Amino acid sequence: MIFKTTLASTAMAASLLMSGSALAQTIGFSQVGSEGDWRPAFSQNMRETAEDYGVDLKFANAQGKQEEQLRAVRAFIAQGVDAIVVAPVVVTGWESVLQEAKDAEIPVFLVDRDVEVSDKSLYVTRISADFNLEGKLAGAWLAAESVGTCKIVELQGTTGSAPAIERKGGFEAVIDQFPAMEIVATQSGDFTTEGGKKVMEAFIKSTNNLEGICASFAHNDNMQLGAIQAMKEAGLKPGEDVLMVSVDYVPAIEDALEAGDANASVELRSAVGKFIYPVILDYLEEPKELDKWIVIPSDLHTQ
Ligand code: AHR
């Protein structure tokens, strides 16, 4: 199901708030961390829109560690919150804690990232962009731009995370259709600017200054921004010598696109509280079976 903002639930939340008759719902949100520029923007939006919907948001920052997330979810269960929202750091290791939430009759909603569980009834739904599609959009743009001939270096996101797995999968599904397109080097930069810079420095060394490399595909903009720095320090011209395509479309990559240092970025919307809270509040009002995935659209931006 592709998400359409439900005007009914938005209006309902607004009118309940104005009449003062709404009992605030308490929602515990376990966030991945604060890496890069996209994630803090997402956290801020979740906080601000919680106020708009009259939600009492309990926010826990896991600093990129799954153990912290498991601790936070267990704390939310002990507090007896009305619902739990998780943006999971990695896809594995969720069965037990989700079962504990289910046993406590607290509905769990996944946002942003996915989990791999054999029993999908452990969560109500996932509300997120389609990371595989983002990879496909990046791959299709690059195939068109390079006319199907391109040696690529890839900067991967956090190992074991849904966006790293799915963006890579989508990108490869497209480039595999072009015999002269191939990923010649790939490494994780953990979704950070520093990580991206280090990885690109290593690629520059291992490929004799990116000789014969036509493109850099980064699973997020921050790693690409780090890669841009590394390339400039090595006397290369990102955006000209090498095509630069990434994901998120944060303000700093918009500047890089305008300056000609980057060529394309697939937008991952960060202002998504307006999509997430209505789904949760409607569900708490009247629990029902939902589609297991509510998709937020993605768009490609170029220079
Ligand atoms: O899960 C989404 C990814 O996580 C974003 O693309 C990245 O910037 C973040 O860290």
Side-chain angles (χ1 to χ4, degrees), residues 108-129:
V108 174
F109 295 80
L110 303 180
V111 295
D112 172 32
R113 299 184 180 184
D114 207 0
V115 295
E116 279 171 13
V117 286
S118 48
D119 176 5
K120 289 207 180 266
S121 77
L122 291 175
Y123 62 88
V124 178
T125 186
R126 173 187 176 204
I127 308 157
S128 77

Side-chain angles (χ1 to χ4, degrees), residues 35 38-39 112-113 131 163 167 191 219-220 248 268:
E35 76 287 356
W38 181 85
R39 187 139 324 260
D112 172 32
R113 299 184 180 184
F131 298 146
R167 285 174 187 160
F191 283 128
H219 292 186
N220 85 344
D248 278 357
L268 175 67

Side-chain angles (χ1 to χ4, degrees), residues 130-140 154-157 161-177 183 186 217 219 247:
D130 181 342
F131 298 146
N132 184 273
L133 174 67
E134 292 169 348
K136 283 186 175 145
L137 288 172
E154 178 187 38
L155 293 94
Q156 290 193 41
S161 69
I165 297 166
E166 293 166 13
R167 285 174 187 160
K168 183 172 183 55
F171 186 80
E172 286 179 346
V174 172
I175 66 158
D176 283 353
Q177 295 173 43
I183 295 174
T186 183
F217 168 48
H219 292 186
V247 184

Side-chain angles (χ1 to χ4, degrees), residues 8-34:
S9 55
T10 309
M12 181 190 76
S15 77
L16 284 172
L17 276 174
M18 280 188 299
S19 71
S21 63
L23 272 184
Q25 300 282 9
T26 302
I27 298 179
F29 175 31
S30 171
Q31 172 65 294
V32 170
S34 38

Side-chain angles (χ1 to χ4, degrees), residues 40-184:
F42 171 40
S43 296
Q44 191 185 336
N45 177 264
M46 285 295 282
R47 285 193 169 106
E48 286 172 1
T49 46
E51 282 174 27
D52 298 344
Y53 286 96
V55 164
D56 175 13
L57 187 72
K58 309 226 170 285
F59 182 91
N61 182 332
Q63 312 288 354
K65 297 191 185 82
Q66 188 185 33
E67 318 82 82
E68 284 301 321
Q69 290 207 289
L70 299 178
R71 234 192 301 278
V73 172
R74 290 195 168 105
F76 293 146
I77 296 171
Q79 288 161 37
V81 297
D82 297 301
I84 295 173
V85 174
V86 187
V89 177
V90 289
V91 290
T92 52
W94 290 98
E95 309 264 354
S96 311
V97 80
L98 294 183
Q99 187 61 56
E100 289 166 39
K102 192 176 179 187
D103 294 345
E105 295 180 7
I106 300 176
V108 174
F109 295 80
L110 303 180
V111 295
D112 172 32
R113 299 184 180 184
D114 207 0
V115 295
E116 279 171 13
V117 286
S118 48
D119 176 5
K120 289 207 180 266
S121 77
L122 291 175
Y123 62 88
V124 178
T125 186
R126 173 187 176 204
I127 308 157
S128 77
D130 181 342
F131 298 146
N132 184 273
L133 174 67
E134 292 169 348
K136 283 186 175 145
L137 288 172
W141 175 83
L142 187 57
E145 203 65 18
S146 66
V147 202
T149 302
C150 192
K151 288 196 192 311
I152 304 152
V153 293
E154 178 187 38
L155 293 94
Q156 290 193 41
T158 303
T159 306
S161 69
I165 297 166
E166 293 166 13
R167 285 174 187 160
K168 183 172 183 55
F171 186 80
E172 286 179 346
V174 172
I175 66 158
D176 283 353
Q177 295 173 43
F178 298 87
M181 289 185 86
E182 71 171 314
I183 295 174
V184 294

